Amino acid sequence: MGDRRTSEGPVNVAVLTTSTLNQPEEDIPEPSSSTSKPKTRSLWVAWLYLFNWYPSHYSKEEKKLLRKQDSILLPLCCIAFFLKWLDSSNINNAYASGMKEDLNLNGNQYSLFGTFYNIGYLIFEVPSMMIISRPRLSRYYIPTMELLWAIVTFAQCRLRNEYDIYGVRFLLGLLETPVASGSMYLMSSWYRGDELFKRCGVWYVSSNIGSMFGGYLQAAAYNNLNGVHGMAGWRWLFIIDGCISLPLAFAGFILFPGLPTSPKVWWLTSREQKLAQRRMRDDGVQESKKIGKRMLKRVFGHWHFYIAVFTYIFFQCTSYIAGQMILWLKYEADLHGTWTVAQINTIPTGVQAIAIVAGVLATSLVMVYPIWTVMSFVAAILLFANVCLLIWDIPVGLHFTSYYMMGLTSCVTPILFPWVNLIMKDDAEARAFTTGSMMTFGWIFFSFYPITVFPVVQAPKWRRGFIVNTIFVVIWYTLFIIGQLLWKKDLKKDKFNININQVDEGKLKIEEIVHLEDAKGKETS
């Protein structure tokens, strides 16, 4: 981080920040990621460095810190996200494996499972993000919620009727609120902007792994545990999920670091924690402050909130994929006897496989190529896939290709959310509120979008659905590009650069001290 020259001479930005005023400057390590820059490479060969997670211009001390974060923080966030998808999707697997018959579930009860989950999720998402932004609470908040939802997961093995399910689903939705946007918020507090995207790609695909793993886990429970100790296989599924979730929750209490300004966790030295704080401060990430009018003014007084929320709403509505493909395969099987039941359930997992590879690759490409170029490629593929499905009368091979290409939706969230954290890094509470709002409003619209735009009675040829999807892809991409242009404009003006603001504040403090000394001198004379 360079010096900014004032009328009094050069003022070092780091010395003037609040936390550094309280301790000697020599005790704070100088991040090599701030003082030296990576070698500029041609875009034609930049792809060779996609998986270079520890740049050569970083010091050994900074690389060691990053490796610690990658060994503990990143896996904890991935595991939490994996468990969220595993525990929230197991109700679908249980329903298809005997729960429906055992509990005499008919009518719309199955649809209401998701409704009650979404109600709990939507009610507590933004408050949950505000709690995570508090340094003293963030370290224990996610492990506490993991522990509680593990207990609720165990309780599902004793379900008696649909009303028990509604209550449990509401609690799970409420307890799982901090995992998605909360994990990304925490990672954006520990990783600099040029380190964040590829880590978020790895984190995000853990949800795809959780969705795939849930189906295989249910099959194993049904085949091997059905009837053991007088319990159905679907009840054993919840016990297995709870056994997986509970020890990992306890591990979170021991290992989770919270925010860089949280009380120090045992696996970091004091010097490493200071280095972590200095790295993020040099990158322009603001530390947590009080929640009040300042935050509301930052959120609603600028373009970031509106672009972020509406971009995610329109994208989220177009991400309903697997259900469409399953119904198409079932239609073909009923009409032509093409696919078996096992194939209908396993073929769509290819979408998740594509999503895993594409999610990791796209977020890595963002680190060597401009964000808008990667997002433009993803949007073009998704637009092509939706147009093909809109036409519908296409070769079977192109049908499969189109559905598998829709797996590229996994690229958008791990690029969009880190980007929002990046452009709002000047205010910790504002970015927590904004990312929480993105998730809230996105799920509000997604909760009714598939029912209204892709109703089962119109399957599998949803002409209206694919028309709306095509339009929405164009809209979210256009909003994202507008955001890119506005962001570039702000960067040129240094509009939200906390370091410049801190220099100005520091200069005022210096002038106040000088004026006070002048006044004392005049009194003595």
Side-chain angles (χ1 to χ4, degrees):
M1 180 174 59
D3 296 341
R4 187 185 178 197
R5 186 168 295 278
T6 67
S7 57
E8 286 77 21
V11 180
N12 187 281
V13 174
V15 178
L16 296 174
T17 57
T18 304
S19 55
T20 53
L21 287 171
N22 297 328
Q23 53 187 318
E25 185 184 3
E26 60 268 16
D27 292 343
I28 304 174
E30 183 76 15
S32 55
S33 54
S34 303
T35 57
S36 57
K37 299 299 179 184
K39 180 182 178 181
T40 303
R41 299 185 177 95
S42 167
L43 292 179
W44 295 107
V45 298
W47 62 271
L48 295 172
Y49 301 88
L50 286 179
F51 303 106
N52 180 18
W53 283 36
Y54 310 103
S56 58
H57 67 284
Y58 280 23
S59 66
K60 290 183 178 179
E61 188 174 22
E62 196 163 359
K63 288 180 181 179
K64 181 181 178 182
L65 173 62
L66 268 181
R67 288 191 175 97
K68 279 191 175 184
Q69 293 177 191
D70 290 341
S71 300
I72 300 177
L73 174 62
L74 182 58
L76 285 174
C77 291
C78 290
I79 289 170
F81 203 39
F82 167 84
L83 292 176
K84 173 194 179 306
W85 280 93
L86 179 65
D87 294 342
S88 63
S89 63
N90 59 20
I91 195 73
N92 303 320
N93 298 320
Y95 183 86
S97 302
M99 176 194 283
K100 179 179 183 295
E101 293 76 16
D102 291 351
L103 301 185
N104 296 316
L105 301 176
N106 300 296
N108 290 323
Q109 288 105 330
Y110 180 74
S111 299
L112 291 173
F113 297 166
T115 300
F116 278 92
Y117 178 88
N118 289 336
I119 290 173
Y121 200 88
L122 299 175
I123 287 175
F124 206 59
E125 175 64 28
V126 172
S128 193
M129 289 301 298
M130 293 295 95
I131 294 173
I132 286 179
S133 69
R134 304 298 87 202
R136 292 193 176 275
L137 299 178
S138 62
R139 181 175 170 186
Y140 302 105
Y141 183 55
I142 289 183
T144 300
M145 299 295 265
E146 284 181 321
L147 176 62
L148 293 175
W149 95 51
I151 295 172
V152 173
T153 299
F154 273 122
Q156 291 181 96
C157 74
R158 308 303 298 175
L159 292 172
R160 300 165 298 178
N161 51 51
E162 66 269 27
Y163 302 108
D164 287 352
I165 299 175
Y166 298 155
V168 166
R169 297 298 291 170
F170 172 81
L171 289 175
L172 279 175
L174 187 147
L175 294 172
E176 292 177 0
T177 50
V179 175
S181 50
S183 293
M184 209 168 299
Y185 175 83
L186 291 174
M187 287 192 291
S188 68
S189 299
W190 284 92
Y191 292 106
R192 295 167 60 98
D194 49 359
E195 302 160 354
L196 180 62
F197 286 93
K198 59 181 66 178
R199 270 93 177 171
C200 283
V202 172
W203 165 81
Y204 187 75
V205 300
S206 60
S207 66
N208 301 104
I209 297 173
S211 297
M212 294 177 65
F213 184 69
Y216 297 118
L217 187 63
Q218 174 58 69
Y222 186 82
N223 292 332
N224 300 302
L225 294 173
N226 193 34
V228 175
H229 297 299
M231 286 200 302
W234 65 266
R235 294 186 184 275
W236 279 105
L237 172 65
F238 296 116
I239 295 176
I240 295 171
D241 286 349
C243 290
I244 296 173
S245 303
L246 195 60
L248 294 173
F250 284 123
F253 284 106
I254 301 172
L255 297 171
F256 215 79
L259 297 169
T261 51
S262 297
K264 188 181 75 67
V265 69
W266 64 270
W267 50 268
L268 281 177
T269 66
S270 296
R271 182 177 176 84
E272 287 172 337
Q273 185 163 22
K274 291 177 184 178
L275 174 60
Q277 295 170 358
R278 176 75 178 268
R279 274 168 31 88
M280 302 311 295
R281 194 161 52 241
D282 287 359
D283 198 41
V285 178
Q286 183 63 275
E287 296 176 355
S288 298
K289 296 181 179 179
K290 291 183 178 180
I291 300 172
K293 292 182 180 180
R294 169 196 54 79
M295 181 203 76
L296 296 177
K297 183 179 179 181
R298 175 64 179 88
V299 169
F300 297 110
H302 300 283
W303 60 268
H304 308 81
F305 175 83
Y306 306 101
I307 289 291
V309 170
F310 282 104
T311 300
Y312 189 68
I313 287 174
F314 284 108
F315 160 71
Q316 181 73 351
C317 288
T318 65
S319 61
Y320 177 64
I321 309 162
Q324 300 168 359
M325 189 174 189
I326 288 175
L327 291 178
W328 170 61
L329 293 171
K330 182 171 175 51
Y331 172 82
E332 290 291 324
D334 293 341
L335 194 63
H336 306 293
T338 313
W339 314 108
T340 66
V341 174
Q343 289 173 326
I344 291 172
N345 284 286
T346 56
I347 290 175
T349 60
V351 178
Q352 303 296 339
I354 296 292
I356 292 170
V357 175
V360 173
L361 183 60
T363 50
S364 298
L365 285 169
V366 163
M367 302 316 303
V368 293
Y369 298 107
I371 297 176
W372 69 268
T373 58
V374 178
M375 197 68 100
S376 297
F377 178 79
V378 171
I381 295 295
L382 295 176
L383 184 63
F384 174 78
N386 277 286
V387 169
C388 288
L389 295 172
L390 172 60
I391 297 172
W392 192 256
D393 294 321
I394 56 178
V396 174
L398 186 55
H399 253 291
F400 274 105
T401 302
S402 298
Y403 276 118
Y404 285 137
M405 283 166 49
M406 296 281 274
L408 267 70
T409 53
S410 69
C411 303
V412 179
T413 298
I415 292 178
L416 180 61
F417 270 80
W419 176 69
V420 172
N421 278 284
L422 186 63
I423 64 177
M424 299 190 72
K425 61 186 178 182
D426 61 288
D427 193 307
E429 292 71 33
R431 65 189 174 94
F433 184 92
T434 299
T435 51
S437 298
M438 289 168 67
M439 195 67 67
T440 299
F441 287 107
W443 278 99
I444 286 176
F445 281 86
F446 185 73
S447 62
F448 66 81
Y449 181 83
I451 301 172
T452 56
V453 181
F454 289 92
V456 176
V457 294
Q458 297 179 7
K461 190 177 180 179
W462 291 282
R463 180 168 178 81
R464 179 179 65 188
F466 290 121
I467 289 174
V468 176
N469 258 20
T470 301
I471 294 171
F472 279 14
V473 169
V474 174
I475 292 175
W476 72 250
Y477 172 71
T478 302
L479 288 171
F480 180 78
I481 292 300
I482 291 172
Q484 290 285 302
L485 296 174
L486 293 172
W487 179 42
K488 297 297 183 185
K489 185 177 179 181
D490 288 345
L491 287 177
K492 289 181 179 179
K493 295 181 178 180
D494 278 328
K495 191 172 182 179
F496 298 102
N497 190 330
I498 67 165
N499 291 327
I500 287 182
N501 294 334
Q502 288 167 346
V503 168
D504 292 336
E505 291 173 3
K507 179 180 175 181
L508 289 174
K509 291 177 182 177
I510 292 172
E511 290 175 347
E512 289 172 1
I513 293 171
V514 172
H515 294 162
L516 182 62
E517 292 299 322
D518 287 344
K520 288 181 178 179
K522 290 178 181 179
E523 289 177 1
T524 55
S525 60

